[in-house]
Amino acid sequence: MVLIRELEHRVVAVQIGHWERDGIGKWRFEQDPNERQRNMRLREGDGIDTITTMLKQEYNISDVETRLKLTFRWPSWMLLVDDGTTRPQTIKTDNDMDLFLSMKVDVADLILFVTRKNDAGVVTESPTLSNSAGSSSQPQSATLIHEDYVVVEIPSSDSDDDSGHSRRPDPWNERLDGLMSKKISNLEVGSASTVPTYADEENTFFGVDFSMGVFGRDAAPVLDNNIDGGNTVVDQAIDDATYEGDDIFVGRVYKNKEDFKFKMAIHALQRKFHFRHTRSDKKVVLLNCVANSCPWRVYVVRLEDSDNYQIRSACLEHTCSVEARSNYHKQASARVVGEFMRPQYMGAGTGPRPGEVQRICLNDHRVPISYWKAWRARGIAIDGARGSMGNSYSLLPAYLHALKAANPGTLTALETTVDELGNQRFKYLFFALAASINGLKFMRKVIVIDGAHLRGNYGGCVITASAQDGNFQIFPVAFGIVDSENDRAWEWFLTMLRQILPNDPTVTFVSDRHSSIYSSLRKVFPNAAHAACVVHLQRNISSIFKAKTLSFLVSRAARAYRITDFHLVFGEICRVSPECGAYLKSIGFGHWARSYFVGERYNVMTSNVAESLNAVLKEAREFPIVYIVEFVRKTLMTWFALRRETAKQEATMLTPKVREILQENFEKSGGFAVRKVNTGEYDVVGGAKGGYHVQLAMRSCTCREFNFLKIPCPHAVAAAIVDQVPMHSLVDVHYTSCYWVMAYKDSINPVPALSSLHELPEDIASMNLLPPHTKRAPGRPKKKRFFSRGEFQ
């Protein structure tokens, strides 16, 4: 089967005239002075007869008896010796014409030369030729003339040349002598009219094939990326199908059936008409206009051994009425809209919202669609740009393998279940990047854990564990994706986290008061300290007890440094609401009040670190699971790179935020009176609360702010100035620039494209991971989360 392909505006230069050969054997084409060079658009596959007819029409040749000879010349860089003696190549068959047009794709300077049969340019090089030996002292020669041009010159003597070498090698002599005896026995000397036309084989002269030139010079560059060895011209046409727009013509090739349907829908939307599928199967698709009287139709056929479809016939004339064309907007299905909106969702960002999709369709395509269709189209576009929700789970094992290979030391864990059919289904995922694991050594061991709901088709929750670096910025440690925030999920996540964090009193967890977190921490980290988030505690108090001032009082009591200050505020709480006081006692002061807390909590009184991280992940939580993990990796890669450069440029011993705190404390210390008690011990008096005992060597102050935050309080700053102690020596090592640099010294590397992976372990390559059984509730998911008890806007 010949694949007919439209050469997209393939322009061919055409000259009409005749070939001549001068006295030194060089060929040149003499263009007819009455005919200028013309540019014609020729299609590969039309055949030589069709193209000859087109040429006659172009040059107004009406004589039916006139025949045209078509020739071309090899480019000079393809010849062994570029001396002009290589004869032109004749185009005589359809295959020759296809070869010429295929070459024209890569060789721009090819020209199609046209010679009329009656205008053949004939030049004889030797007007006289003796037919008897010894009649002339010059070597005898004969000039053979072939229809339109001189063919070859044959020396008639076998004598040696001046150098003593034979003019022709022996095999040539034998072959030429045999041909001469058979074909040239009746040749009359000096008469061109008596030359027989025996040399009609276009590429063969005296039995020697000259059809191809020899590449003596450097060939033109060729980028050989055609792996399967197919037809490069056809492959290029298929590759260009995406960029051909919505025009329809016979011979156009589409990548597949879906590509054909999409481009036909765009074609109908742009021209405002409606068509129906009269026939649609695996081999043939026939489209007709919805109006029975309208002749518009398009017939496409699937090409053999491929998914490509080609238009075989098309009638693009419309005679239907306006009423019949008024339903053209039906062509804008959710899938069609999602397809042309797909580029909007590639890269960073969430892409247009459904309302914006409606406006884009109306403004750019003049098609009104409903909000529900826009919402469904947005989901289809996201699946096309970032992968479908279900298929993404099957890519997860390979992605995790590539993630660990690109970032050695990364910790990942994948928990699966087996359904009743024996298929593996996703259950839990845990991952911690190597850079985070290594940087955790330079963090204060206060870990904030929290969960946030996913908005994808299969629901679930993303769990995060985060710390704060020395500059009080979010430092993500580990992530998990589970089915829901239940006891088993939290216990599994914390068990994985146990590989990074030790189970000892130096570790402190801060979380909301979710019951699953409490029970799981008691099982997995029994020796670690656990503190409640003050904000969540305030919300619970506000929802249970209606007094408006309780929330504020609880916050003051929780944040108090000294026990005496705590009890002053707590007494006020009991006075306002004895029930609230009893409730807080039942929780345990050491769980929510800083003054009673046993462990290192520093400044982390809330889970705002985790809440801020959840806000960053908000735009990715409705996307496929692989995209979520990749979004996390890219975000952390950017954070680490920016902070690494900032930390390297820090010229002081402390991080910028700690320097700001010290500057504020220095401003507050101006009115204090400092009296020395002992070496490194001072009595600092000032303000309404009396004096404070500062011990610089012990890094403590009776206000207890220095003790908890590990940053000199205003009293310690005043004492250090008197004692001439450098401030950076009093600050905890985790706040120094050195630790800040070390925390971000490891980079996070990109993950290569999964299509480039060719060596996967057998267990990963053979794993067919299916999505979980859980399904999101029907309807459009909520973008805004429900407020917790006591929470308000």
Side-chain angles (χ1 to χ4, degrees):
M1 177 181 63
V2 178
L3 176 62
I4 302 176
R5 185 182 72 89
E6 175 76 19
L7 288 174
E8 190 77 20
H9 304 301
R10 186 67 66 203
V11 178
V12 178
V14 180
Q15 294 182 7
I16 191 166
H18 61 271
W19 286 99
E20 289 186 354
R21 191 176 187 187
D22 57 20
I24 60 176
K26 290 188 177 182
W27 293 95
R28 68 174 182 271
F29 188 80
E30 292 293 333
Q31 188 172 348
D32 190 336
N34 298 323
E35 299 288 353
R36 58 178 175 81
Q37 176 176 309
R38 307 190 184 189
N39 295 327
M40 299 181 61
R41 291 171 180 164
L42 306 180
R43 296 188 308 177
E44 182 181 341
D46 280 347
I48 191 170
D49 294 336
T50 303
I51 293 179
T52 301
T53 304
M54 294 171 59
L55 290 170
K56 286 186 176 182
Q57 294 176 355
E58 181 71 19
Y59 286 97
N60 295 323
I61 301 175
S62 59
D63 187 2
V64 180
E65 300 298 329
T66 300
R67 290 191 299 164
L68 301 181
K69 298 291 293 185
L70 309 182
T71 57
F72 69 93
R73 186 171 220 162
W74 295 108
S76 59
W77 55 266
M78 295 180 64
L79 303 176
L80 179 63
V81 180
D82 184 20
D83 57 0
T85 59
T86 302
R87 75 175 190 87
Q89 304 296 303
T90 301
I91 301 174
K92 192 171 182 179
T93 65
D94 292 344
N95 291 334
D96 296 338
M97 179 57 70
D98 289 343
L99 173 64
F100 171 78
L101 294 176
S102 298
M103 291 173 53
K104 188 68 178 66
V105 175
D106 299 314
V107 184
D109 56 351
L110 278 183
I111 299 176
L112 181 64
F113 300 107
V114 181
T115 304
R116 293 188 180 93
K117 177 65 176 177
N118 297 333
D119 294 338
V122 178
V123 178
T124 59
E125 300 178 83
S126 301
T128 59
L129 176 63
S130 175
N131 201 20
S132 58
S135 62
S136 174
S137 60
Q138 300 294 329
Q140 299 181 5
S141 62
T143 302
L144 305 185
I145 302 171
H146 167 30
E147 292 187 343
D148 300 323
Y149 41 75
V150 179
V151 178
V152 71
E153 181 181 3
I154 307 173
S156 58
S157 172
D158 293 341
S159 61
D160 295 343
D161 59 12
D162 295 338
S163 63
H165 297 286
S166 175
R167 293 183 180 271
R168 297 190 305 271
D170 290 342
W172 278 71
N173 292 337
E174 295 176 1
R175 297 176 72 178
L176 290 177
D177 290 344
L179 287 171
M180 288 286 288
S181 62
K182 293 180 181 179
K183 298 291 184 180
I184 325 179
S185 57
N186 297 324
L187 176 65
E188 274 188 31
V189 177
S191 175
S193 61
T194 60
V195 177
T197 59
Y198 62 86
D200 269 344
E201 294 185 15
E202 300 300 331
N203 297 320
T204 306
F205 296 92
F206 306 115
V208 181
D209 186 7
F210 286 92
S211 61
M212 296 297 293
V214 182
F215 284 63
R217 298 186 182 181
D218 192 11
V222 178
L223 185 61
D224 188 9
N225 284 334
N226 189 19
I227 299 175
D228 57 359
N231 189 333
T232 306
V233 177
V234 175
D235 292 344
Q236 184 65 39
I238 296 170
D239 292 339
D240 291 342
T242 307
Y243 309 100
E244 289 177 352
D246 61 343
D247 291 337
I248 297 175
F249 49 83
V250 175
R252 179 173 179 179
V253 177
Y254 298 88
K255 292 184 294 184
N256 48 49
K257 193 173 183 180
E258 290 70 24
D259 179 54
F260 166 71
K261 290 182 177 181
F262 169 71
K263 288 188 171 65
M264 289 305 305
I266 297 297
H267 177 88
L269 289 174
Q270 295 293 335
R271 291 156 182 79
K272 290 185 172 59
F273 73 92
H274 189 202
F275 62 82
R276 66 177 184 273
H277 289 74
T278 306
R279 179 181 176 185
S280 180
D281 53 41
K282 294 182 179 180
K283 295 184 178 180
V284 174
V285 178
L286 176 61
L287 307 181
N288 288 95
C289 183
V290 292
N292 295 327
S293 59
C294 182
W296 187 93
R297 69 188 296 273
V298 174
Y299 177 75
V300 298
V301 175
R302 181 180 178 181
L303 301 179
E304 293 181 2
D305 300 327
S306 73
D307 293 330
N308 306 321
Y309 281 73
Q310 184 185 38
I311 297 180
R312 290 300 178 84
S313 65
C315 177
L316 305 181
E317 179 185 359
H318 274 288
T319 61
C320 49
S321 62
V322 174
E323 289 79 4
R325 302 176 66 170
S326 61
N327 290 328
Y328 73 95
H329 63 275
K330 292 183 178 180
Q331 299 294 341
S333 64
R335 185 160 297 279
V336 171
V337 176
E339 182 63 26
F340 68 69
M341 289 297 299
R342 178 165 54 88
Q344 302 284 341
Y345 297 90
M346 293 182 176
T350 58
R353 296 183 177 182
E356 296 170 342
V357 173
Q358 283 183 290
R359 288 191 291 271
I360 291 173
C361 290
L362 187 60
N363 297 335
D364 296 351
H365 301 277
R366 297 177 295 175
V367 179
I369 62 173
S370 64
Y371 184 90
W372 176 241
K373 181 181 288 188
W375 186 83
R376 289 187 291 117
R378 180 177 182 270
I380 294 173
I382 292 174
D383 287 349
R386 294 165 178 168
S388 66
M389 291 287 181
N391 293 338
S392 183
Y393 287 94
S394 63
L395 300 176
L396 185 59
Y399 175 86
L400 295 178
H401 174 77
L403 178 66
K404 295 172 66 176
N407 298 273
T410 296
L411 180 62
T412 65
L414 184 62
E415 183 81 4
T416 63
T417 59
V418 180
D419 60 14
E420 60 277 3
L421 299 178
N423 300 318
Q424 281 188 302
R425 292 190 174 273
F426 173 84
K427 188 172 182 62
Y428 302 140
L429 168 66
F430 174 90
F431 65 97
L433 296 175
S436 296
I437 297 174
N438 297 332
L440 184 61
K441 304 171 186 175
F442 306 96
M443 298 292 117
R444 298 168 297 165
K445 299 303 184 288
V446 181
I447 308 300
V448 182
I449 54 177
D450 194 16
H453 291 284
L454 299 177
R455 295 192 295 268
N457 294 342
Y458 299 95
C461 292
V462 56
I463 297 176
T464 61
S466 309
Q468 263 191 337
D469 64 11
N471 199 39
F472 300 98
Q473 292 176 287
I474 305 171
F475 186 87
V477 177
F479 298 83
I481 297 178
V482 297
D483 52 1
S484 65
E485 287 193 86
N486 52 48
D487 292 357
R488 293 186 59 187
W490 269 112
E491 184 178 346
W492 184 86
F493 175 80
L494 293 175
T495 302
M496 296 297 107
L497 192 64
R498 180 79 177 268
Q499 303 177 56
I500 303 173
L501 289 170
N503 176 30
D504 57 47
T506 61
V507 178
T508 298
F509 287 95
V510 178
S511 70
D512 59 20
R513 303 196 65 235
H514 198 289
S515 59
S516 297
I517 297 178
Y518 278 65
S519 61
S520 301
L521 281 174
R522 285 194 294 266
K523 293 179 180 179
V524 183
F525 287 94
N527 297 329
H530 184 202
C533 170
V534 175
V535 172
H536 286 84
L537 181 62
Q538 288 178 267
R539 294 170 183 171
N540 292 342
I541 295 296
S542 298
S543 63
I544 300 173
F545 309 99
K546 304 305 180 184
K548 295 182 179 180
T549 59
L550 285 177
S551 177
F552 171 71
L553 293 173
V554 169
S555 177
R556 283 189 58 190
R559 287 176 167 84
Y561 292 103
R562 298 192 300 181
I563 295 178
T564 55
D565 295 336
F566 166 79
H567 280 287
L568 286 175
V569 181
F570 186 73
E572 185 67 17
I573 293 174
C574 294
R575 188 187 65 80
V576 174
S577 176
E579 296 82 3
C580 180
Y583 173 77
L584 293 175
K585 285 183 180 178
S586 65
I587 295 175
F589 292 157
H591 185 55
W592 59 276
R594 175 157 50 189
S595 59
Y596 276 96
F597 186 76
V598 179
E600 300 291 348
R601 188 167 181 172
Y602 297 92
N603 63 298
V604 186
M605 297 300 299
T606 68
S607 60
N608 286 347
V609 171
E611 298 289 350
S612 300
L613 184 57
N614 289 338
V616 173
L617 300 178
K618 179 180 178 181
E619 64 180 67
R621 296 209 309 262
E622 62 178 312
F623 296 140
I625 187 170
V626 169
Y627 184 86
I628 295 175
V629 181
E630 179 65 5
F631 181 89
V632 170
R633 187 203 62 79
K634 287 182 178 179
T635 301
L636 268 62
M637 178 182 68
T638 304
W639 286 358
F640 273 57
L642 293 175
R643 296 174 188 178
R644 186 183 308 114
E645 295 302 319
T646 305
K648 288 180 179 179
Q649 295 173 7
E650 181 58 47
T652 64
M653 297 291 293
L654 304 176
T655 62
K657 192 63 179 177
V658 174
R659 283 191 284 109
E660 291 181 15
I661 296 174
L662 285 176
Q663 183 67 29
E664 293 175 3
N665 292 343
F666 171 72
E667 298 293 339
K668 296 177 182 178
S669 66
F672 293 151
V674 180
R675 297 182 179 89
K676 187 172 184 179
V677 177
N678 202 340
T679 304
E681 295 185 31
Y682 293 88
D683 181 31
V684 181
V685 180
K689 295 186 178 181
Y692 298 89
H693 186 197
V694 177
Q695 294 178 302
L696 296 180
M698 301 296 295
R699 297 184 182 181
S700 67
C701 177
T702 53
C703 75
R704 301 191 72 187
E705 179 180 344
F706 195 6
N707 305 56
F708 282 107
L709 299 186
K710 312 297 183 183
I711 298 174
C713 61
H715 318 107
V717 170
I721 293 174
V722 173
D723 202 34
Q724 297 183 352
V725 176
M727 292 296 172
H728 64 81
S729 64
L730 302 176
V731 176
D732 189 77
V733 68
H734 294 95
Y735 297 119
T736 61
S737 298
C738 178
Y739 264 49
W740 196 28
V741 171
M742 295 299 294
Y744 296 103
K745 68 180 180 64
D746 293 335
S747 60
I748 299 175
N749 301 318
V751 177
L754 298 184
S755 58
S756 64
L757 300 179
H758 59 281
E759 293 184 359
L760 290 174
E762 180 61 29
D763 56 338
I764 295 177
S766 60
M767 180 181 291
N768 182 23
L769 187 62
L770 299 180
H773 280 297
T774 57
K775 279 285 188 178
R776 187 189 65 203
R780 185 164 65 95
K782 297 290 184 182
K783 295 294 182 182
K784 297 181 180 179
R785 67 182 181 87
F786 294 105
F787 291 143
S788 303
R789 289 193 306 171
E791 186 179 3
F792 52 88
Q793 187 68 35

